[in-house]
């Protein structure tokens, strides 16, 4: 699925500076999504690109299971990891984000296929 419509526009440097300033004074990413015509992912990525250290999530997450991050980086999908570690999809995704993992786009299994092709 691709982003379409008003939430898919480009972020100019003035808007990015506003986002950074608002986030720095306590606004949440969810609040920024409500105020600006951009998706959560686009705003989060813009903040990270500007070197903003994101605040931890308000809902405490369980400890990261050993091997979760490496398994994702090795090509396993979030859905596969959720099943393997007996967690919900969202909980698994949130743990990966909290660990600073850059998530792949949906349906992007090229990393996994590439690893499989090299080891075969």
């Amino acid at each position: 699925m691709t982003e379409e419509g008003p939430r898919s526009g480009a972020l100019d440097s003035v808007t990015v500076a506003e986002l950074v300033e608002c986030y720095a004074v306590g606004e949440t990413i969810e609040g920024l999504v409500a105020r600006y015509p951009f998706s959560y992912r686009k705003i989060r990525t813009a903040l990270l690109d500007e070197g903003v250290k994101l605040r931890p999530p308000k809902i405490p997450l369980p400890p990261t299971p050993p091997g979760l991050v490496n398994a994702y980086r090795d090509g396993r999908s979030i859905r596969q990891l959720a099943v393997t570690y007996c967690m919900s999809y969202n909980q698994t995704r949130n743990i990966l984000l909290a660990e600073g993992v850059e998530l792949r786009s949906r349906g992007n299994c090229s990393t996994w296929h590439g690893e499989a092709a090299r080891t075969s």
Side-chain angles (χ1 to χ4, degrees), residues 44-68:
R44 182 181 182 278
T45 301
L47 292 172
L48 290 172
D49 289 348
E50 289 298 308
V52 173
K53 179 158 175 43
L54 300 182
R55 295 184 292 270
K58 293 189 179 7
I59 299 171
L61 295 171
T64 303
L68 178 81

Side-chain angles (χ1 to χ4, degrees), residues 16-61:
V16 171
E18 288 175 15
L19 293 171
V20 169
E21 184 178 338
C22 290
Y23 188 81
V25 297
E27 183 70 75
T28 63
I29 296 176
E30 292 85 356
L32 294 172
V33 169
R35 290 176 49 195
Y36 291 87
F38 304 106
S39 69
Y40 183 97
R41 183 176 184 163
K42 185 170 288 245
I43 291 174
R44 182 181 182 278
T45 301
L47 292 172
L48 290 172
D49 289 348
E50 289 298 308
V52 173
K53 179 158 175 43
L54 300 182
R55 295 184 292 270
K58 293 189 179 7
I59 299 171
L61 295 171

